[in-house]
Amino acid sequence: MSDGDLIADLYAASFRRLVVQLYAVTGDLSEAQEAVQEAFTKALVAPGRFARLDSPEAWLRRVAVNVARSRHRRRRVLDRLLLRIGPPPAVADRSPEHLALLAAMRELPEGQRIALALHYLVDLPVDEIAATLGVSAGTVKSRLSRGRTALAALLTDSDVTGSKGRVDARS
């Protein structure tokens, strides 16, 4: 039996049992499923070593419990931080112009929308956007240019006719 077969058989035989056990630990079915799934993922990283364990299911249980505990700790830290910094700021501008801009942005192809948002809203330079997206600076410039043109057309169309214009799907 190969190491992969061992993990597949163990998954079929013990996934549900481990989820039930972790559900008792976490009190959250989704959290229990994710923790057990992550434990199996860790087993897949080194299947040969996993296959040599005396009790693979016990190892999976221990890993899943540790995953759940780590997530719980991180969540507690985040909750305390959020309490300290207070509620999130109110949604910015809700004016008709701002809402029209957001609606028009949603109509743009993803590449153009992301480039425009990073450049104009986050105030990133072209080179940093290129590095963030893993594309060339020329691609970012092209997306910005096409995005501005398409956005202007969408905003003009919606201002004049009250309907949405369509955008070329190129990014």
Side-chain angles (χ1 to χ4, degrees):
M1 175 182 287
S2 75
D3 297 338
D5 291 339
L6 170 71
I7 294 173
D9 290 347
L10 188 59
Y11 185 89
S14 63
F15 180 79
R16 284 187 140 152
R17 182 172 43 251
L18 288 169
V19 168
V20 168
Q21 293 166 3
L22 263 289
Y23 181 48
V25 170
T26 64
D28 182 332
L29 182 59
S30 296
E31 186 67 28
Q33 290 170 330
E34 288 181 25
V36 172
Q37 196 67 36
E38 191 167 330
F40 273 99
T41 302
K42 290 181 183 212
L44 288 170
V45 171
R49 188 171 35 157
F50 180 76
R52 290 189 298 271
L53 293 172
D54 290 334
S55 179
E57 187 172 332
W59 182 88
L60 287 164
R61 183 180 312 102
R62 184 177 62 232
V63 169
V65 167
N66 287 339
V67 165
R69 291 173 65 203
S70 293
R71 287 180 176 190
H72 180 71
R73 273 194 304 273
R74 283 192 301 260
R75 198 170 22 257
R76 275 196 343 243
V77 169
L78 178 61
D79 289 346
R80 277 185 271 151
L81 176 64
L82 291 174
L83 281 173
R84 195 169 356 139
I85 64 174
V91 175
D93 190 359
R94 289 196 144 288
S95 68
E97 294 83 11
H98 183 76
L99 295 176
L101 174 63
L102 293 177
M105 290 282 288
R106 283 192 296 271
E107 293 291 317
L108 296 175
E110 182 181 35
Q112 294 173 13
R113 183 176 61 250
I114 292 171
L116 288 168
L118 291 175
H119 189 66
Y120 291 106
L121 301 177
V122 183
D123 206 25
L124 293 181
V126 169
D127 292 336
E128 195 169 338
I129 296 169
T132 299
L133 300 178
V135 298
S136 71
T139 298
V140 172
K141 290 176 184 177
S142 173
R143 289 177 181 178
L144 287 171
S145 176
R146 289 181 183 158
R148 284 189 296 263
T149 301
L151 195 56
L154 283 169
L155 291 172
T156 301
D157 286 352
S158 66
D159 287 345
V160 174
T161 65
S163 64
K164 293 181 183 175
R166 297 308 314 164
V167 178
D168 183 12
R170 291 179 291 164
S171 60

